Amino acid sequence: MLPGNFMKLLMMLMAATAAIAIYAAEEDGRVGANFPAGVLRLERVFPVNHSVELEELIARDRARHARILQNFAGGVVDFPVIGSSDPFLLGIYYTKVKLGSPPREYNVQIDTGSDILWVTCSSCNDCPQISGLGVELNFYDTTSSSTASLISCSDPMCASSAECSSETNQCAYTFHYGDNSGTTGYYVSDLIYFDTVLGTSLIANSSSPIVFGCSTSQSGSLTKMDRAIDGIFGLGQQGLSVISQLSSRGISPKVFSHCLKGDGNGGGILVLGEILNPSVVYSPLVPSKVHYTVYLQSIAVNGQILPVDPGVFVSSGDGGTIVDSGTTLVYLASEAYEPFISAITAIVSPSARPIISGKRPCYLVSSSIEDIFPPVSLNFAGDASMVLRPADYLAHMGILEASAMWCIIFEENDLGLTILGDLILKNKIIVYDLARQRIGWTEYDCSSPVNVSTTSGKDEFMNAGQLSVSSSSSSVPFNLPLATTNALLLLFWELMLGSYLCSLTSIFLVVFP
């Protein structure tokens, strides 16, 4: 037991320590200087005669750190990525989101081709109850969340909705997707939980109210159990997308990035922030488009531009070229598809025998496809090219006549639309910069860590952090890198208490870096 006077001295030193920490944090730009002048009455959280376990102090401090960070505008929101681009295994990438109070976890497909986050409602009768993906399906229930509220017909965000029932006073929606699937439901507001990255290793649990859809009916492929999932994570650029809602509140920058791992068990990285890499090339987005539409100008096979009228790729009406992570394959406009197949076949014919398998162009190969098949280049505005390796446009379909059969898995689209799906988005950093209206990309090993910028919401780089690839949900350690604070604290304790207690303090500063 320490003497009473010594305990009082310790309490005084702890108060002084807190003051120094706040000063150092302000100097380091990490805590806002919103402290009013004057005299404040201080109350002890723990009485002097109360014994406190170290774990209790750690838990309290971490909770406080998280509360502080919730009020800090401008950070990178990190989501785990699960799934694969292989159309014969999984064919989708999905992430996990936590919604409601208490929070429940939902698996939702990552989809840059739509705008709304929606999850299946508990009231949905015709929705899948089990999934062939090996994940447990969860159903959202507004009555089970203390923070849930329905969006009424009089809400401003519902003003443009033609589906509003005067009987229920609920703002409703109906979505149809490119594969003829669809969903109907109503909008709700509730909390979404996520990890926010604010520095080189500063990560905190955060939450924010968000509007999303509660699906009461589904159709098409959404009703199939083999790839059933809890919903869709729309990452489009319209007002109700997650990226638009969070960036409008200053919670995340108006840019998001993903790196989808194409081999092994898949997985990858998804962040509401900008992945930094010096090799990233950018191409402008076509303005006033619903989807992420880009200016594809030409396609080259083995360095030779295909004889295709550039007008085929012009973004007029519903045509053009869109980037869509919710699409597994790649679809070429008909006018470009046939010249593409012909160019590939002409180059590989001396070493590979062309055949047709199920109306699909295939080739019997006895050696490595990298040695036989040519590179393909998609050339975009801004002098930006996306180079595709043979593995990006071919799939191994088995053995035939003692040779490996490789088939082109680009599809023909007779609607005048070119869609770039996961098959060529995989193994690349893809940056969707809504603030500057551009998309960037570069080849990358998506199993490696990435540098991510945290911005203030005004697109000013603050610093860079590192995120590691995630193939499943995982917890991230909380780290507070206030080097200035640490130095001041050590100096203060050493001056006041001598080297003996300073050594003890050093141990605590390792626990609370």
Side-chain angles (χ1 to χ4, degrees):
M1 180 68 67
L2 295 175
N5 290 337
F6 190 74
M7 286 297 298
K8 290 181 180 179
L9 175 60
L10 281 178
M11 296 304 297
M12 293 173 61
L13 291 175
M14 289 173 65
T17 298
I20 292 174
I22 292 172
Y23 170 78
E26 289 175 354
E27 289 299 310
D28 212 28
R30 289 176 171 83
V31 178
N34 298 319
F35 296 95
V39 178
L40 300 178
R41 176 180 176 82
L42 300 179
E43 299 288 347
R44 301 182 193 275
V45 175
F46 303 106
V48 175
N49 59 353
H50 177 67
S51 177
V52 182
E53 295 292 335
L54 178 59
E55 288 75 10
E56 188 175 356
L57 291 172
I58 294 174
R60 178 180 177 275
D61 284 346
R62 287 186 175 177
R64 171 176 167 75
H65 295 162
R67 289 196 300 272
I68 292 173
L69 292 172
Q70 279 184 328
N71 297 321
F72 189 97
V76 171
V77 177
D78 176 32
F79 293 96
V81 175
I82 311 98
S84 167
S85 63
D86 191 333
F88 307 107
L89 292 178
L90 191 59
I92 64 170
Y93 288 93
Y94 60 97
T95 187
K96 297 176 181 290
V97 296
K98 291 181 180 179
L99 302 169
S101 301
R104 293 195 67 186
E105 194 169 68
Y106 301 89
N107 295 295
V108 287
Q109 182 179 358
I110 300 168
D111 182 19
T112 61
S114 63
D115 295 300
I116 306 300
L117 164 64
W118 64 262
V119 293
T120 304
C121 266
S122 57
S123 59
C124 186
N125 295 321
D126 57 348
C127 297
Q129 301 297 308
I130 59 175
S131 173
L133 299 179
V135 298
E136 179 182 356
L137 297 181
N138 290 317
F139 302 89
Y140 179 80
D141 185 357
T142 55
T143 62
S144 298
S145 174
S146 61
T147 50
S149 61
L150 300 179
I151 302 299
S152 67
C153 293
S154 59
D155 192 288
M157 63 79 54
C158 197
S160 59
S161 174
E163 300 180 45
C164 207
S165 171
S166 58
E167 297 179 1
T168 62
N169 193 30
Q170 289 181 353
C171 187
Y173 66 82
T174 297
F175 301 137
H176 296 286
Y177 298 98
D179 62 352
N180 294 320
S181 63
T183 175
T184 298
Y186 56 90
Y187 289 112
V188 299
S189 175
D190 208 340
L191 290 180
I192 183 173
Y193 300 81
F194 42 80
D195 290 332
T196 303
V197 184
L198 296 175
T200 55
S201 55
L202 182 58
I203 299 178
N205 296 324
S206 303
S207 63
S208 173
I210 197 169
V211 174
F212 59 93
C214 194
S215 173
T216 57
S217 177
Q218 296 169 18
S219 62
S221 62
L222 293 175
T223 63
K224 296 180 179 179
M225 293 190 300
D226 58 340
R227 295 200 305 173
I229 207 161
D230 295 327
I232 290 180
F233 194 172
L235 286 167
Q237 51 186 330
Q238 301 304 305
L240 279 180
S241 71
V242 172
I243 179 66
S244 295
Q245 291 190 61
L246 294 183
S247 64
S248 67
R249 298 187 180 101
I251 295 173
S252 70
K254 202 170 183 179
V255 55
F256 71 96
S257 315
H258 60 64
C259 194
L260 307 176
K261 192 167 176 285
D263 54 359
N265 295 324
I269 296 171
L270 170 65
V271 292
L272 305 192
E274 182 179 2
I275 295 180
L276 301 176
N277 188 288
S279 300
V280 173
V281 295
Y282 286 93
S283 184
L285 286 168
V286 179
S288 304
K289 291 290 185 178
V290 174
H291 302 291
Y292 293 109
T293 306
V294 290
Y295 296 95
L296 178 60
Q297 297 177 329
S298 64
I299 300 176
V301 176
N302 209 29
Q304 298 297 313
I305 301 295
L306 296 181
V308 178
D309 182 353
V312 170
F313 306 119
V314 172
S315 302
S316 60
D318 294 328
T321 303
I322 67 173
V323 178
D324 180 20
S325 68
T327 295
T328 302
L329 305 178
V330 174
Y331 295 81
L332 291 181
S334 297
E335 296 87 343
Y337 181 80
E338 289 300 333
F340 173 74
I341 300 299
S342 298
I344 297 290
T345 302
I347 291 173
V348 304
S349 290
S351 304
R353 181 157 66 92
I355 64 170
I356 299 296
S357 177
K359 298 182 179 181
R360 186 179 298 279
C362 300
Y363 307 88
L364 298 182
V365 181
S366 57
S367 59
S368 170
I369 58 172
E370 300 292 338
D371 297 332
I372 298 175
F373 288 85
V376 173
S377 177
L378 307 181
N379 304 314
F380 298 88
D383 198 26
S385 295
M386 180 182 291
V387 178
L388 309 181
R389 298 170 293 108
D392 293 326
Y393 60 85
L394 293 170
H396 185 213
M397 305 292 284
I399 303 297
L400 182 64
E401 299 178 8
S403 296
M405 182 169 68
W406 289 84
C407 298
I408 292 181
I409 48 176
F410 281 18
E411 298 290 323
E412 182 177 6
N413 189 344
D414 58 4
L415 300 178
L417 184 65
T418 295
I419 305 174
L420 308 180
D422 292 339
L423 280 176
I424 63 172
L425 299 181
K426 70 180 189 299
N427 300 322
K428 296 177 181 67
I429 292 172
I430 309 290
V431 179
Y432 302 77
D433 190 342
L434 281 65
R436 297 179 178 87
Q437 283 294 287
R438 61 181 186 172
I439 285 187
W441 60 84
T442 188
E443 289 281 337
Y444 196 75
D445 177 3
C446 295
S447 62
S448 301
V450 294
N451 289 323
V452 183
S453 73
T454 56
T455 70
S456 64
K458 298 180 180 179
D459 307 307
E460 299 169 352
F461 295 122
M462 292 174 60
N463 45 40
Q466 273 206 332
L467 294 176
S468 295
V469 62
S470 56
S471 58
S472 62
S473 180
S474 60
S475 61
V476 183
F478 186 95
N479 189 9
L480 189 61
L482 294 180
T484 307
T485 306
N486 289 351
L488 283 172
L489 291 178
L490 282 172
L491 177 60
F492 180 81
W493 283 85
E494 180 143 11
L495 289 173
M496 297 299 296
L497 297 178
S499 60
Y500 173 76
L501 283 180
C502 183
S503 298
L504 179 61
T505 307
S506 299
I507 296 175
F508 277 86
L509 290 175
V510 172
V511 178
F512 305 103

